[in-house]
């Protein structure tokens, strides 16, 4: 039977753990609030870019561009996995990585090569453990992603797709529905699905009538 001293030590230990956990919770809450504010501030820009893409899509039937071209034979797929650098996040990382696992299995079963880009330490460790070597890795940027990081990924994907080294690009990430719930999103980035964009434009409220300068082709290229 434990002595009174042992019981007091145990109580002190539990209280210390409680204080540490409470501090972690406060820090996490502050980070979530800042991240939510950034998402809210960026949403109008994202919506405006999508609206402009829809405007381009309405003219896509007359455009010739390598990123609009669907390759006749799909032999290689690029999957971009976006997770965090740290754990203790419930299913935040594991749900995305399970989705990526499924994509890899399905495409390999179909005889396709799968290339990976890992954004976040958890994705890097996960793929290395499974002997999957990503073509690009990014660490220590999940809390503060940069434009340069996005540009590197975009440049690689565009160049490889234009050269027919890859035939499809898919990004898998979490979309924050609210502070507590995330939805795993799987989006095809290339080839650009102009038909879906055009359909979305028809279903949404009337958009502005864009005039492209110098041309719709030049805007799409940029």
């Amino acid at each position: 039977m434990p002595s009174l001293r042992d019981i007091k030590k145990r109580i002190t230990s539990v209280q210390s753990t409680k204080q540490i956990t409470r501090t972690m919770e406060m820090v996490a809450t502050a980070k979530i609030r800042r991240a939510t504010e950034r998402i809210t501030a960026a949403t109008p820009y994202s919506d405006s870019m999508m609206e402009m893409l829809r405007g381009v899509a309405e003219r896509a039937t007359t455009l010739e561009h390598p990123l609009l071209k669907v390759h006749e034979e799909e032999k290689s797929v690029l999957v971009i996995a976006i997770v965090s650098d740290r754990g203790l996040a419930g299913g935040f990382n594991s749900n995305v990585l399970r989705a990526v696992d499924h994509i890899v299995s399905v495409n390999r079963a179909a005889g396709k090569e799968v290339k990976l880009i890992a954004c976040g330490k958890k994705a890097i460790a996960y793929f290395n453990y499974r002997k999957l070597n990503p073509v690009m890795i990014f660490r220590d940027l999940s809390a503060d992603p940069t434009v340069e990081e996005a540009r590197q990924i975009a440049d690689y994907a565009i160049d490889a797709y234009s050269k027919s080294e890859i035939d499809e690009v898919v990004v898998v990430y979490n979309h924050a529905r609210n502070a507590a719930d995330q939805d795993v999103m799987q989006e095809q980035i290339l080839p650009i699905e102009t038909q879906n964009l055009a359909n979305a434009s028809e279903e949404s409220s009337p958009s502005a009538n864009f005039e492209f300068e110098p041309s719709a082709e030049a805007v799409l290229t940029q």
Side-chain angles (χ1 to χ4, degrees):
M1 182 175 178
S3 65
L4 182 59
R5 177 179 294 181
D6 291 335
I7 294 174
K8 286 182 177 180
K9 284 184 177 180
R10 178 61 177 164
I11 291 173
T12 301
S13 175
V14 170
Q15 288 176 338
S16 296
T17 302
K18 181 180 178 181
Q19 289 178 344
I20 294 171
T21 305
R22 176 59 179 164
T23 302
M24 292 173 66
E25 180 184 1
M26 292 172 64
V27 171
T29 301
K31 287 184 175 180
I32 289 174
R33 184 177 64 253
R34 288 197 298 270
T36 302
E37 290 171 353
R38 291 169 62 184
I39 291 171
T40 302
T43 297
Y45 296 94
S46 175
D47 292 345
S48 295
M49 285 191 291
M50 184 59 65
E51 187 177 3
M52 186 171 66
L53 259 181
R54 288 169 182 157
V56 176
E58 292 172 357
R59 297 160 176 78
T61 54
T62 61
L63 300 184
E64 289 291 334
H65 195 282
L67 300 185
L68 297 175
K69 182 180 179 182
V70 177
H71 297 169
E72 293 182 4
E73 183 181 1
E74 290 190 1
K75 298 177 291 184
S76 180
V77 177
L78 173 66
V79 182
I80 305 167
I82 302 176
V83 298
S84 71
D85 289 305
R86 299 181 181 182
L88 295 177
F92 184 87
N93 296 314
S94 59
N95 290 341
V96 169
L97 295 173
R98 276 199 296 268
V100 172
D101 258 345
H102 178 71
I103 295 172
V104 171
S105 299
V106 169
N107 282 281
R108 283 184 169 177
K112 300 177 185 178
E113 178 188 12
V114 180
K115 298 179 180 180
L116 298 166
I117 292 179
C119 300
K121 288 182 180 178
K122 290 300 176 180
I124 297 170
Y126 184 85
F127 295 141
N128 286 341
Y129 178 76
R130 284 159 178 73
K131 309 300 182 184
L132 302 171
N133 298 317
V135 295
M136 298 178 75
I137 61 173
F138 298 90
R139 52 167 57 92
D140 299 322
L141 292 169
S142 62
D144 295 292
T146 65
V147 173
E148 182 57 33
E149 173 191 8
R151 184 176 290 115
Q152 289 180 47
I153 296 172
D155 288 346
Y156 175 85
I158 290 171
D159 183 64
Y161 189 86
S162 299
K163 294 178 179 178
S164 296
E165 295 173 358
I166 55 175
D167 307 298
E168 184 180 356
V169 180
V170 178
V171 59
V172 186
Y173 64 98
N174 277 302
H175 170 71
R177 189 160 13 111
N178 52 51
D181 300 309
Q182 293 84 33
D183 298 318
V184 176
M185 306 296 290
Q186 178 181 323
E187 294 184 4
Q188 177 181 312
I189 303 301
L190 291 176
I192 297 172
E193 297 182 303
T194 54
Q195 187 59 48
N196 288 348
L197 285 171
N199 290 340
S201 180
E202 293 174 1
E203 294 170 2
S204 63
S205 58
S207 60
N209 184 19
F210 287 103
E211 293 185 4
F212 297 96
E213 181 66 33
S215 65
E217 290 90 338
V219 172
L220 180 61
T221 298
Q222 182 62 32

